[in-house]
Amino acid sequence: MPKIISHKTHTSGIALGGIGSGSMELLPDGEFHYVMISNQPRLTTRCQEDKVDDGEGSCGALSFYARIENNNKIIMRKLGMKTDTEDFTYRMFGFNKPIEEIEFDGKFPTCDIKYNDSALPVNISLKAVAPFVPHNSNLSATPGFYMDFTVENPSDSEITVSLLGSLVPDFANKTRGFKNTYVNKGAYEGIFMDQAEHGWDLLPDEGNLSFFISGDGEKSHITAEYFRYLKEYVSHSPQFGITQESFLFPFREKGVLDNSLFGEKPETIPDKPEDLTDEAIERIFNTYISFPFAKALYERVQQVYPGFGKSKAEKADLLKYFKRQAEVKMGNKFGASALCSKLTLKPYEKKEVRFTLSWYFPNHLNDKGEKLGHYYENLFKDSLEAAVLLNEKREEIHGKAIKLKELLFSTDMKEEYAESWSSHLSTIIKSSWYLKDGKFGLWEGLGFCGFHTTDITYHASFGLLALFPDLQKKQMLMGAKFQREDGRVHHFFTPDLDHVDWGFDRVDMNNQFVLMVLRDYLFTGDYSYLCSLWDNVKRAMDSIEAIDKNFDGLPDSETDRNTYDAWNFSGTPTYISVLWLAALKAAIIIAERMGDEERKLHWENLLTKGKESLEKLLWNGKYYDLWVDGDNCDKALMTNQLDGEWFLRMIGIGGNLSDERVKEVLSFIWQHNFDEESGLINASEYYKGSLSIYTKRNCQAEAVWTGIGYSFAALSLYLGLKDIADKGIKSIHDNQLRFGYFWDHWECGHHYTRPMSSFSTLNAALGLYVNNEEKVLKLNPAYEEITLPLFLSDAVIKLTVQNKNYTFEILEGSLNGYDIILPDGCKYTIL
């Protein structure tokens, strides 16, 4: 026996679906996991640690198979690694082997899979694509995705290949079942899988699906069948014996499906079919043998007893046979479907078979059972319309999603950067609510905490703003409505997008709110957005100014609660103070634009005073102390102490502290808070015996937060500390890969949102400043020669810098009217 070498199983993958529509995850085992398209509780309710339906139980609902016929030899493979006995008795019927090896290349919004098997004479690959189209939130909310299979014949002989996809929707319409319809649109065809009955009550899993096929080859289908037949069951009859039954047996034999057209569950066979009239028994018999499960049973009997089934009595015996299998052995679950394409490949020929899956499950309910719905209801009346869009607008949706992936990975920065941008954008699909009334929010962690958590959105929204600025503004405007009378902004929304929690005491959030308002305005140039939030900005600033009791320009009371919610601070904390000073700088710019000279001057004076106090109170000669409160001081070396400086530089307006000071602090933090095994922890004890009881061995102080690690790397990169940035990004990348959760960073829940801060490393690499209202674009890249993606709210661009020449390759939109400011001596060309 050969030695077996095991590696960590990867339990995260590429989320496929639309924004706010639900998704499936394609994992490195080649299977579609976490089926959360029919309002599963993990997506629609605050579950916390409770073990609730996250869709994983439906892994295997969507499966693909390949049959290869070459030199009169048939080879069959399951295009995935899942071999559960509840799906098929693989160990007893070894022809249906899982593929030997899978090469998985997940680069959201696409995923490329290469299926390797030493027995296969052809090359088979898959490209799965989510409908993720920059600057088009409508197309990107489409509930569905693409699956494109390519088959290549590398030999000098002709080979026949059949590709089969099956959909067994055990996650939907559990109460009322399915009624399916075969639909042929010419260039594409498939199955519309609607609910069999419509009731007055709202059931979350009630809706419809559309499974379609196009591309090369001879198409065949099963419109509707019992669920178990599209997996496997044991047929038993005292008269006709015991057999293993599955649609895979005739598929292996023929390489095509039966083209059955009946889409409804056949009528129930009476216990004594022999009592039926001749006409009735003939009709029911002919109906049943039109279904593949019964046809297979019937054909087997005829192979032993040719001509059996001609008499009424024989038909009655067969109907009893069918009845037992349908009602007893297969359990009555009905409505599964399958699609197939049979290809003949000449030597060295390559062909493509394309599948799409779309869905429509409108009954997203709140905790009171009231309907919230999905935004896609405004775009489609059912999944069939979504399928038509996916196929008819394939070039625009599929093409632009692929171009986004190619653009992200066109950079010649270390690949870990592009991986970090791409991988966390998938959170926008995986963890979003986009409701019928237009409200939008991202879970802080999937099924954990709440939505649009202010202190998390602050770190997480750079990518969202770059690609879907309308959705970021929706979040901000929605949250502003819940600002408390004393000016404190909301913490998070729960249990829906109409209510918030009572976390107003987190003192960092007001500052973060003001900073985001300025950033969003500068990036979009939306003056009306700025005007609508001006009053909220003033009240937010006044609220924080009010907790400066000694009037030194820095907050010194009510500062214990913040985003580090298990780690209380006291007095005047550096983290809060630096954020406050950053908010003052942002508010000054906003006040100037709003024409409020009085507030502008007031905030300028506060900023001057606050910066002086920061140095006097908190600078210890090496870094800034965690906090000072009278005679008490906690000297923890906090990684995120200059968080406000990070944000100011990421939006291109420069910091309050000198670059030299910030670089000095970052280098010191890196020296003492990072090691290759642990990564970058949140704080350490540099001065022994100098920590408060709240910090000593604190669970969050000693932890690694990848979202903070990304922002630390971005600030380091911006200031030229490339080695620190590169090592920080690689540490996060390698650790997540080792844990098997590359596309799922766990903090307070899976798919935690804060690590979307990775996108800020792109801002840092660009040295980006945008003022879209005044049409100013300023760049000061971290590299003398580089290729980078550049996203503006009205343009998508590939930027290449060589020999001080900047080439802007416009992929979408334009730079018309922009004043482009570059480093001295540089020129630019627009293509």
Side-chain angles (χ1 to χ4, degrees), residues 151-219:
V151 185
E152 181 181 12
N153 178 5
S155 74
D156 56 5
S157 61
E158 188 172 275
I159 299 176
T160 301
V161 178
S162 296
L163 285 177
L164 166 65
S166 66
L167 182 58
V168 184
D170 61 349
F171 50 82
N173 294 336
K174 294 171 186 161
T175 302
R176 300 191 172 103
F178 282 92
K179 176 182 178 181
N180 298 357
T181 306
Y182 168 69
V183 179
N184 191 329
K185 294 286 187 179
Y188 53 97
E189 60 190 85
I191 313 298
F192 175 56
M193 308 166 70
D194 200 4
Q195 58 198 81
E197 301 174 7
H198 293 262
W200 61 268
D201 52 335
L202 298 177
L203 301 176
D205 72 337
E206 193 171 77
N208 53 77
L209 300 128
S210 291
F211 189 33
F212 274 73
I213 188 171
S214 63
D216 299 316
E218 172 197 352
K219 309 299 188 302

Side-chain angles (χ1 to χ4, degrees), residues 8 134 187 234 292 326 430 499 513 548 692 745 797 814 823 830:
K8 180 72 175 72
V234 177
K430 183 72 178 182
H499 304 86
F513 172 81
D548 174 13
S692 68
H745 288 217
I797 300 165
S814 76
I830 298 177

Side-chain angles (χ1 to χ4, degrees), residues 29 44 469 548 562 648 704 760:
D29 65 355
T44 60
D548 174 13
N562 62 88
L648 291 175
V704 172
S760 70

Side-chain angles (χ1 to χ4, degrees), residues 103-124:
E103 290 183 31
F104 184 90
D105 186 14
K107 290 180 169 62
F108 182 84
T110 73
C111 178
D112 288 286
I113 286 179
K114 184 179 178 183
Y115 303 99
N116 297 328
D117 197 302
S118 56
L120 296 186
V122 295
N123 301 322
I124 304 176

Side-chain angles (χ1 to χ4, degrees), residues 132-136 404 408 425 428 460-472 519-520 523-524 759-760 762-763 766 768 789-796 812:
F132 199 75
V133 182
H135 300 157
N136 195 325
L404 172 61
L408 291 172
L425 287 176
I428 299 174
S461 52
F462 280 88
L464 180 66
L465 178 67
L467 299 181
F468 303 103
D470 57 323
L471 299 183
Q472 167 58 11
R519 178 201 60 187
D520 299 351
F523 188 77
T524 64
F759 211 84
S760 70
L762 176 55
N763 287 48
L766 288 162
L768 178 65
L790 170 59
F791 299 98
L792 306 178
S793 66
D794 47 6
V796 177
E812 176 191 306

Side-chain angles (χ1 to χ4, degrees), residues 418-551:
E419 294 277 9
S420 75
W421 307 332
S422 163
S423 63
H424 294 294
L425 287 176
S426 67
T427 306
I428 299 174
I429 297 293
K430 183 72 178 182
S431 299
S432 57
W433 276 19
Y434 196 7
L435 304 184
K436 186 176 181 180
D437 63 6
K439 293 188 182 76
F440 171 83
L442 289 173
W443 278 107
E444 180 177 334
L446 186 60
F448 282 67
C449 302
F451 302 89
H452 177 34
T453 307
T454 296
D455 48 310
I456 309 302
T457 299
Y458 163 78
H459 286 106
S461 52
F462 280 88
L464 180 66
L465 178 67
L467 299 181
F468 303 103
D470 57 323
L471 299 183
Q472 167 58 11
K473 290 190 293 182
K474 279 177 182 283
Q475 284 197 124
M476 293 293 289
L477 293 167
M478 180 178 71
K481 294 177 182 178
F482 289 85
Q483 187 175 24
R484 208 165 60 178
E485 288 185 5
D486 65 357
R488 291 296 182 95
V489 301
H490 86 283
H491 178 220
F492 59 58
F493 281 79
T494 185
D496 50 39
L497 301 185
D498 291 313
H499 304 86
V500 298
D501 74 336
W502 291 97
F504 293 95
D505 57 344
R506 298 174 188 233
V507 74
D508 46 356
M509 298 188 306
N510 278 31
N511 310 296
Q512 294 163 336
F513 172 81
V514 172
L515 285 161
M516 285 190 286
V517 170
L518 175 64
R519 178 201 60 187
D520 299 351
Y521 155 68
L522 289 174
F523 188 77
T524 64
D526 189 345
Y527 179 62
S528 64
Y529 170 78
L530 187 67
C531 291
S532 65
L533 294 175
W534 171 228
D535 185 61
N536 302 94
V537 167
K538 290 186 288 185
R539 290 193 289 133
M541 295 298 292
D542 291 346
S543 177
I544 300 304
E545 184 180 351
I547 60 175
D548 174 13
K549 301 300 184 182
N550 63 7
F551 307 107

